[in-house]
Amino acid sequence: MMRQFDQVASLKEALAKWKSAGERVALVPTMGNLHAGHLSLVALAKNKADRVVVSVFVNPLQFGPSEDFDRYPRTYEQDCVSLQEARADAVFAPSVDEMYPNGQVQTLVTVPEALTGMLEGAARPSHFDGVTTVVTKLFNMVQPDVAVFGQKDFQQLAVLKRMVQDLSMPIELVCAAIKRDADGLALSSRNQYLSESERRIAPTLFKVLQSVRRAIESHNLDQKPDDDRADDDKADDGNADDFSALEASAKEALLSKGFDAVDYVRILQADTLQPAKPTDRDKVIVAAARLGRTRLLDNVLVS
């Protein structure tokens, strides 16, 4: 039977019993409004540990002044139904006062700007300080052996990996693959805001990123991202030493397919998030694009 906690003290009592019995604990941090993507994280966590704790907390520290914290969807009762069906062991849903008893002006955990000052952090300069601070507090409260995060928020995962490494936190971070609809659209709470016509366009984001991956893997850096030529139709581009032209073509492809704006398409080193070169081994293609008022994120790994 899944247990629900809203206070740190009672949660720690339950955790102490599990750990004294030698059970391994996994944490899945969320802000609620759960969908199948979140539940896939729970399923992966159950494979990694004996007990799974899911936190449900809408964190005010990661919302900027122009972002509406109060309007963020809160569906706690339905979330608990879904988590019960997913066989989570505990839900931790603290109030803001429970999480931040001294108010929001408090000690912050900050990861170097090389990881936090670009992509999502460029337009939201305090966002990742809020993420790393709340995750550190959750790690201290739960003291999990393993924590599971989704690949869709790739920059967030890279930031948290750096935090865990730099602060010598004894926690294994596990990355869960992106859960997608049948047409390829990455599952997200934001998808519910898409109109019918926008929903038809949205899967193009993943298709363009796949085309970029094929171009990189075939060394065909002149290929247009929406060009479906076979991989053996390669251009001899031995002088290319970066991916700027391919990134620009990807943006053009998304706009031509109906996206209203493209915040970025970047090809980066997977570990450092620095600009990738063709000779780098592990790369990630990250993108953020807008349909109406909905901002969609996606990424594709290239090894």
Side-chain angles (χ1 to χ4, degrees):
M1 184 68 179
M2 186 180 73
R3 301 180 63 182
Q4 298 180 42
F5 302 93
D6 59 11
Q7 295 185 336
V8 177
S10 55
L11 172 66
K12 286 186 173 181
E13 288 180 7
L15 289 166
K17 292 179 181 178
W18 294 339
K19 292 178 180 181
S20 66
E23 294 181 304
R24 184 172 164 87
V25 174
L27 172 66
V28 181
T30 81
M31 291 209 301
N33 196 26
L34 304 183
H35 51 68
H38 294 107
L39 301 181
S40 71
L41 306 186
V42 177
L44 179 57
K46 289 189 69 65
N47 289 331
K48 298 287 184 179
D50 303 296
R51 300 284 186 172
V52 176
V53 178
V54 180
S55 63
V56 175
F57 178 66
V58 183
N59 177 31
L61 284 190
Q62 65 194 69
F63 285 78
S66 61
E67 299 170 336
D68 199 338
F69 166 77
D70 293 326
R71 291 186 61 187
Y72 189 89
R74 292 160 171 83
T75 56
Y76 180 69
E77 291 185 3
Q78 181 56 49
D79 291 345
C80 285
V81 172
S82 298
L83 292 172
Q84 177 77 44
E85 294 173 352
R87 297 188 297 117
D89 294 281
V91 179
F92 178 47
S95 66
V96 173
D97 289 339
E98 180 72 9
M99 183 62 74
Y100 300 119
N102 296 319
Q104 293 182 43
V105 180
Q106 61 150 12
T107 301
L108 297 177
V109 178
T110 301
V111 168
E113 190 175 356
L115 283 175
T116 61
M118 31 79 87
L119 302 179
E120 295 304 290
R124 308 173 69 189
S126 64
H127 171 71
F128 284 113
D129 286 353
V131 171
T132 48
T133 298
V134 76
V135 171
T136 297
K137 289 179 72 74
L138 288 169
F139 284 176
N140 287 336
M141 292 168 176
V142 178
Q143 297 183 3
D145 300 286
V146 59
V148 180
F149 296 88
Q151 179 189 320
K152 189 174 73 67
D153 296 312
F154 194 88
Q155 184 180 13
Q156 173 179 279
L157 183 63
V159 168
L160 293 174
K161 284 180 177 178
R162 178 65 181 271
M163 179 187 78
V164 166
Q165 179 184 43
D166 284 356
L167 299 183
S168 302
M169 294 178 172
I171 297 170
E172 176 190 358
L173 292 193
V174 174
C175 174
I178 297 174
K179 186 81 171 176
R180 300 183 182 276
D181 274 334
D183 58 8
L185 178 63
L187 297 187
S188 170
S189 300
R190 300 175 183 182
N191 295 352
Q192 63 189 305
Y193 302 118
L194 294 169
S195 68
E196 186 175 339
S197 61
E198 291 168 347
R199 179 62 184 80
R200 289 195 294 269
I201 297 169
T204 305
L205 180 58
F206 181 49
K207 293 176 182 177
V208 168
L209 295 187
Q210 286 180 304
S211 295
V212 173
R213 177 170 61 187
R214 288 195 296 270
I216 295 172
E217 291 175 340
S218 64
H219 308 288
N220 187 2
L221 304 188
D222 282 341
Q223 179 177 324
K224 299 295 184 182
D226 57 350
D227 188 345
D228 291 328
R229 291 180 294 172
D231 287 348
D232 57 1
D233 181 14
K234 299 175 183 177
D236 183 4
D237 197 1
N239 294 324
D241 61 359
D242 64 52
F243 294 112
S244 56
L246 191 56
E247 293 168 344
S249 295
K251 293 180 183 179
E252 293 174 6
L254 290 169
L255 292 171
S256 71
K257 297 295 186 180
F259 279 84
D260 297 299
V262 180
D263 291 352
Y264 58 79
V265 176
R266 298 293 310 279
I267 303 167
L268 306 172
Q269 297 172 11
D271 291 336
T272 66
L273 299 188
Q274 296 305 298
K277 294 183 178 181
T279 53
D280 291 327
R281 179 177 176 82
D282 295 317
K283 297 176 279 288
V284 61
I285 312 161
V286 295
R290 299 175 186 267
L291 285 168
R293 298 178 61 184
T294 306
R295 186 170 182 271
L296 301 178
L297 302 179
D298 206 344
N299 66 80
V300 169
L301 297 173
V302 185
S303 294

